[in-house]
Amino acid sequence: MNDDGTMARLPELILFAEKHGLRIVSIEDLIAYRSKREKLVEKIASVNLPTAHGNFMAYAYRSLIDDNADHVHMALVKGDVRGKRSVLVRVHSECLTGDVFGSLRCDCGSQLVKAMEMVEREGEGVVLYMRQEGRGIGITEKLKAYTLQEEGLDTVEANEALGFAADLRDYGIGAQILLDLGVKNIRLITNNPKKVVGLQGYGLEIVERVPLIIPPNKFNERYLDTKETKMGHFLHEDGLSRGCSGKRGEEDEND
């Protein structure tokens, strides 16, 4: 507790630990530690799934540390990937508005379709569908963020105005699902350098980043420009980040 009787948060706890020579571990650190050393996923269903974009085996996974029973992650697997090298993999975060309703505000639905088609052409690979709506903030907060964007904020500013970080996604459970499928050496389909770093931290070897380029439209041009200039996504085949307007953008930290 703080001296005034309020609950001490992490900033106060860090100062307290420094003052008294104590070690401090956050809940986030504990989750990351367990994700690297324990099996925290369970396969709960599997079925052959023919789709308009290819034929896959669909595996449903649940996280053993997620209290939300509805958060079932899906792995669409093409061919025999267990123990193979250079397996083509897409880790796709849920986007109800884009994936299901075809929203033009983002490039998510088009990315999902293109990734499935890429894996189908490859003849083997994995499309992992993670229940991390709105970069981890959920559908309700994402729609609120859309409203703020209509008022002039960009996607990063809108998340921050709602009290969230620009990106709250965690890649530990996704990495565990891939390892359970026997996939360790991968070619990752992504424009997001942070996703490469995030997955490598959980025992996966990423041998290549495969770009997933979707042309902008008039509704998502600013959104894509923000992903490049503020989040460091590579949205051009040459791997350079320069904004949808064609100008060179800042290559910061974060698809």
Side-chain angles (χ1 to χ4, degrees):
M1 306 289 288
N2 292 318
D3 291 339
D4 62 3
T6 59
M7 180 181 293
R9 300 297 182 181
L10 186 58
E12 293 85 16
L13 293 174
I14 291 174
L15 293 175
F16 184 86
E18 290 175 348
K19 178 180 178 181
H20 296 283
L22 301 174
R23 296 180 183 274
I24 187 167
V25 178
S26 69
I27 299 299
E28 183 180 12
D29 292 331
L30 289 173
I31 292 172
Y33 180 90
R34 292 190 62 193
S35 296
K36 292 177 182 179
R37 291 163 176 81
E38 303 175 33
K39 183 177 179 180
L40 301 176
V41 297
E42 177 186 19
K43 186 189 298 179
I44 56 177
S46 61
V47 67
N48 181 56
L49 186 68
T51 78
H53 313 294
N55 295 328
F56 302 88
M57 280 296 299
Y59 299 97
Y61 280 88
R62 71 180 184 94
S63 167
L64 301 180
I65 57 174
D66 190 342
D67 293 332
N68 192 335
D70 292 331
H71 279 186
V72 176
H73 310 289
M74 294 281 292
L76 302 183
V77 180
K78 179 75 177 182
D80 181 12
V81 297
R82 185 167 294 275
K84 297 288 184 65
R85 296 187 63 81
S86 300
V87 177
L88 191 61
V89 171
R90 167 68 177 171
V91 179
H92 186 93
S93 295
E94 175 187 29
C95 177
L96 178 67
T97 50
D99 299 338
V100 177
F101 300 120
S103 170
L104 296 178
R105 284 181 174 267
C106 63
D107 55 348
C108 303
S110 298
Q111 284 188 327
L112 178 60
V113 168
K114 187 171 181 178
M116 292 174 67
E117 292 174 346
M118 289 168 69
V119 170
E120 173 67 15
R121 287 195 300 271
E122 183 83 0
E124 63 180 28
V126 180
V127 176
L128 188 55
Y129 195 84
M130 302 297 297
R131 302 294 300 278
Q132 300 185 121
E133 178 74 51
R135 299 197 203 105
I137 68 175
I139 183 63
T140 301
E141 297 301 321
K142 186 175 84 168
L143 294 180
K144 292 178 181 178
Y146 279 172
T147 300
L148 292 176
Q149 289 171 40
E150 290 179 346
E151 295 172 358
L153 300 185
D154 64 33
T155 180
V156 171
E157 294 166 342
N159 272 30
E160 292 174 344
L162 291 171
F164 302 106
D167 194 340
L168 292 176
R169 289 175 293 183
D170 174 74
Y171 299 108
I173 295 301
Q176 286 217 348
I177 293 173
L178 290 172
L179 292 172
D180 190 70
L181 293 169
V183 177
K184 295 182 179 180
N185 185 280
I186 69 177
R187 291 154 52 222
L188 184 64
I189 303 173
T190 186
N191 303 322
N192 182 2
K194 185 176 180 181
K195 189 177 290 186
V196 174
V197 175
L199 289 172
Q200 281 178 329
Y202 292 93
L204 297 173
E205 182 182 3
I206 300 177
V207 297
E208 181 184 357
R209 183 186 68 82
V210 180
L212 185 59
I213 309 302
I214 305 297
N217 62 63
K218 66 178 182 179
F219 299 102
N220 68 15
E221 187 170 9
R222 187 186 182 202
Y223 163 79
L224 295 179
D225 189 70
T226 301
K227 286 173 74 172
E228 280 201 309
T229 59
K230 287 193 174 182
M231 304 177 78
H233 294 203
F234 301 130
L235 301 184
H236 293 80
E237 293 288 355
D238 59 11
L240 297 178
S241 176
R242 53 180 172 267
C244 293
S245 61
K247 299 177 182 179
R248 176 70 186 224
E250 298 178 9
E251 295 183 14
D252 204 86
E253 55 175 300
N254 186 30
D255 181 88

